[in-house]
Each structure stands twice: as structure tokens, then as C-alpha cells.
Amino acid sequence: MTTAPPGTGGPDDPGFGIYVHWPFCASKCPYCDFNSHVRHVAPDQARYVAAFGRELATAARRTPGRTVSSIFLGGGTPSLMEPATVGAILDALARLWTVTPDCEVTLEANPTSVEAERFRGFRAAGVNRVSLGVQALNDADLKSLGRTHSADEALRAVDVARRHFDRYSFDLIYARPGQTEAGWEAELRRAIAEAAEHLSLYQLTIEPGTMFEALHRAGKLAMPDDDMGRVLYDLTQDVCAEAGLPAYEISNHARPGAECRHNLIYWRSGDFVGAGPGAHGRLTLGNGRIATATEKHPETWLKRVEEQGSGIVSEEHLVQIENADEFLVMGLRLAEGIDLARYEALSGRPLDPDRIAFLEGEGFVRRLPGGRLKVTPEGFPVLNAVVADLAQAD
């Protein structure tokens, strides 16, 4: 693998990442609105590997000289891939770009027993970080969430991950129907005891087009009200901070230095290639920054790549204010906040000082030394309103 000295990976140097989307799942979870598909006949992995290689080669020709600091295999359920498939994709990436010696290579996995047995193979293929979709630590809620594993299976998979990877993380969903404050605290403390360095903790939301949306609309899914959601959010922040895993992003908690580098590229408005069905990308080219999106339907994407070399179906040139707004929306999710000078450079105008002063007076934002602006713990629960207020044009 060709290597080069790593970049700082800091706020002013987000790095360059590659996202590869494996769109297949064993079953569709009722809350999920990701581009995931169930197939009763297993996909031809060799054919998909060849297509990934072609699409990535097309992207590499557009990004000469870039150095990859993060690779993320997401889905769908990437752990349904054979380790040899993962290895072939990573080998293709190493041929196409220079890769930093400490490149973070993350694979998302479901914690079923069968997939956990593949972890050794994924590690040998080059994966050095795994993210497990645990989602809950009690069987009743796992069943209601449509998960196909038990809590015991999940914890066994976490143990396997611990033995094979220096870095691992897992996800939990909270504010679930019927969840109590005491129940969530006990579950969260159990999760922290199993977590090495990172947890992703998401409030359950009703997404358009999902089975949960249909049930909720029919009155068959009772969600916690806003007050309970706030209680559970505050509890999450307090318990994680006490345990040494503070929130570095509104839903992600890590020990200092263990943040997910790939997601930081997104939140810091860095560049990344998106490959695979339904993948999105952001690339700075000679004529400005573009947003790319590929064909969502797997078999249609496959045919398109085989015929044309790329599955991209949408390529939008982002104008100045779109770049600035994206930087604001994504960057204020982070505990580190944003560089006000970078916002001004992107937008051509500074953020309104009167609006900043008003929000600062309300305790929702805070100006930091060095010209940074961050959202406070009191502001995160109303983040959307804070961002909307700051983004208003003069």
C-alpha cells in the first residue's frame, strides 16, 4: 500500500475520505430510512467488487494527488460481505490513491453470531475499526425495533470485536416507546461498561416512508413526548460525561482522541468520495465544490457502472451560500464548533454579530478564543432553531 505522511485531521484540515456503500441487509428494520435492500438470492459479490473498482477508478481520475485518511464501509449491512470482498475493495483503494499510514478503516456490522465470526477475516483484510449496530440491550425492545439478534448475541459480538480490533464502537437507540428514565440509565451504564472508546447514541425519530411512520400515523406506535425526550437526552449527556465519554457531536460520544475520524470529515465539511448504490459525496474540483449522488437501486447502479464507469446520477455545483450553510449546519453539531473566519470566507459575509450576541445572551452559543463559535449544552437540544437563526440572511 502506497503511503504518505498523515495530515493533521484537525478542524482546519479535515482530511479526505472514501465512503463505500453496501446496500444489502438480511431484513429491513421498521425505523430505517437508509438505502438498504433485502434480496432472497445472494448478490454476486465478485460482480459488485468489479463495479466498485470501476466507480472508484473514475473518482480517482477526478481527484489526482489526494491522500486518503479515512475509509468507511457503510450500509446496509457491510458485514454481509465476505472478508475477501472487503479485502478486494481496500486493495483497489490502495492502488488508486495514496493512503496515510494511520488511515482509519471502519466497517459497519450487525452483531449476529454468524457475522461476528467474520471479524478475524475483516481484520486481516485491513479493517481496523468496527461499528456495531447493537441498538438496544434488552430483547423486547430489540424485537420491536425489528432486530434479528438478542442482547446476549450483541454483547458476545462486542466481545469478539474487542478481541480483534483496537478500535470499536456501537450504536444504541433511545427514547423508544415505553422507555423510562431509570431503564435507559441502567442500559446506558451497561453499554459504557462494554465500550472501549466510542458510543453513538441516537434518539428514535419517525422517518418518512418507514414502517414506524405508518404505525405512528395509525396510532399504533406511542412515542415518548418532547419532555421525556429531553429528560433522556440530558441523562445521556450527564452519564457519558461522568464516564469519560463526552459528546464530541450531538449524538456521538468518545474518549478524547477516539472520535470517528471519518464522520469528522463530514462534520468539518471535508471532501469525500461516495461509491456504491445511493452513496453521496463532496468533492472540491477545479471549478468549485460539487455534491454527488449515485443511483439508489442496486441492480440499476450495477448496470450503470458496468456500462458507464460510474453510478452518479446527480452532480450539483454548490454555490457560495450553499457551501457556507452546509458548513454551518454540520459544524455546529460538533462540540468544537466552527471557525467564524472560514464561514466568512465560504459565504462572502460574516455571521450577523447581533444574532450571535442574542443567542449568546440566551446561553445557546459561546464565542471561543481564536475566533470560533460553538453551541452550548443548553443550545444543543434546540440546535435546529439556533442554526436557522444564524443562517438568516441580512
Side-chain angles (χ1 to χ4, degrees):
M1 179 181 289
T2 306
T3 60
T8 67
D12 300 322
D13 179 17
F16 177 65
I18 310 291
Y19 175 78
V20 177
H21 190 80
W22 182 257
F24 302 110
C25 284
S27 61
K28 183 76 172 179
C29 296
Y31 58 84
C32 178
D33 69 338
F34 294 164
N35 187 45
S36 58
H37 303 262
V38 177
R39 296 290 183 264
H40 299 297
V41 176
D44 183 341
Q45 295 198 24
R47 189 178 173 193
Y48 275 90
V49 163
F52 280 124
R54 288 201 66 188
E55 183 160 72
L56 290 166
T58 299
R61 288 193 290 272
R62 306 183 76 183
T63 56
R66 301 302 298 266
T67 298
V68 176
S69 57
S70 175
I71 300 165
F72 197 101
L73 302 159
T77 307
S79 54
L80 291 176
M81 286 190 279
E82 296 294 334
T85 298
V86 173
I89 292 171
L90 296 180
D91 287 346
L93 286 168
R95 289 192 299 269
L96 294 167
W97 284 277
T98 299
V99 179
T100 62
D102 67 341
C103 182
E104 177 188 85
V105 183
T106 301
L107 180 136
E108 290 184 332
N110 270 350
T112 61
S113 299
V114 171
E115 291 166 61
E117 292 169 0
R118 300 185 183 198
F119 285 1
R120 184 188 301 276
F122 292 140
R123 183 69 186 91
V127 174
N128 56 32
R129 181 179 182 273
V130 67
S131 178
L132 292 158
V134 171
Q135 314 306 6
L137 289 175
N138 70 75
D139 289 346
D141 281 4
L142 284 168
K143 183 177 180 180
S144 70
L145 290 170
R147 307 299 289 173
T148 58
H149 61 268
S150 67
D152 283 345
E153 279 182 298
L155 292 174
R156 286 197 297 271
V158 169
D159 184 59
V160 174
R162 184 184 298 117
R163 287 186 271 118
H164 290 291
F165 299 94
D166 293 332
R167 302 188 63 206
Y168 67 92
S169 175
F170 59 89
D171 302 354
L172 292 176
I173 295 172
Y174 68 97
R176 307 188 296 258
Q179 193 170 41
T180 65
E181 185 177 359
W184 172 234
E185 180 173 359
E187 188 173 355
L188 180 56
R189 291 190 183 279
R190 187 182 184 192
I192 290 170
E194 298 286 345
E197 59 173 24
H198 192 288
L199 285 172
S200 296
L201 305 169
Y202 302 105
Q203 286 200 45
L204 179 61
T205 55
I206 303 299
E207 301 293 348
T210 63
M211 179 63 72
F212 269 12
E213 184 201 28
L215 292 172
H216 189 253
R217 193 170 54 243
K220 297 179 180 179
L221 184 69
M223 294 289 292
D225 61 24
D226 291 343
D227 289 341
M228 177 55 77
R230 177 61 188 271
V231 166
L232 296 174
Y233 171 82
D234 289 342
L235 174 66
T236 302
Q237 309 314 303
D238 292 343
V239 170
C240 287
E242 172 194 315
L245 281 84
Y248 69 95
E249 188 270 345
I250 192 167
S251 299
N252 285 271
H253 301 254
R255 304 194 188 283
E259 299 84 359
C260 176
R261 299 177 201 166
H262 190 83
N263 285 342
L264 284 174
I265 291 176
Y266 300 159
W267 296 319
R268 290 170 171 168
S269 294
D271 279 9
F272 58 97
V273 167
H280 292 260
R282 295 289 186 277
L283 296 174
T284 302
L285 305 177
N287 57 347
R289 197 162 193 248
I290 62 170
T292 65
T294 61
E295 166 61 47
K296 291 183 175 182
H297 186 263
E299 288 78 13
T300 306
W301 170 86
L302 185 62
K303 184 178 179 181
R304 186 180 183 92
V305 173
E306 289 173 340
E307 292 176 351
Q308 302 179 26
S310 173
I312 291 177
V313 292
S314 171
E315 188 167 296
E316 177 188 359
H317 286 267
L318 299 174
V319 299
Q320 188 175 44
I321 193 61
E322 289 174 323
N323 270 319
D325 284 349
E326 188 169 277
F327 172 71
L328 188 70
V329 169
M330 301 300 280
L332 286 179
R333 295 178 64 90
L334 291 166
E336 70 187 19
I338 62 168
D339 180 355
L340 290 170
R342 187 179 173 197
Y343 176 86
E344 185 173 353
L346 288 170
S347 68
R349 63 176 179 86
L351 285 172
D352 186 337
D354 292 336
R355 286 202 172 94
I356 293 176
F358 171 75
L359 291 169
E360 196 169 24
E362 294 294 310
F364 294 151
V365 302
R366 183 158 62 92
R367 279 176 280 206
L368 302 174
R372 298 189 71 79
L373 181 74
K374 66 171 288 181
V375 176
T376 65
E378 293 75 22
F380 273 120
V382 290
L383 178 62
N384 289 343
V386 170
V387 171
D389 195 15
L390 288 170
Q392 290 181 42
D394 293 335

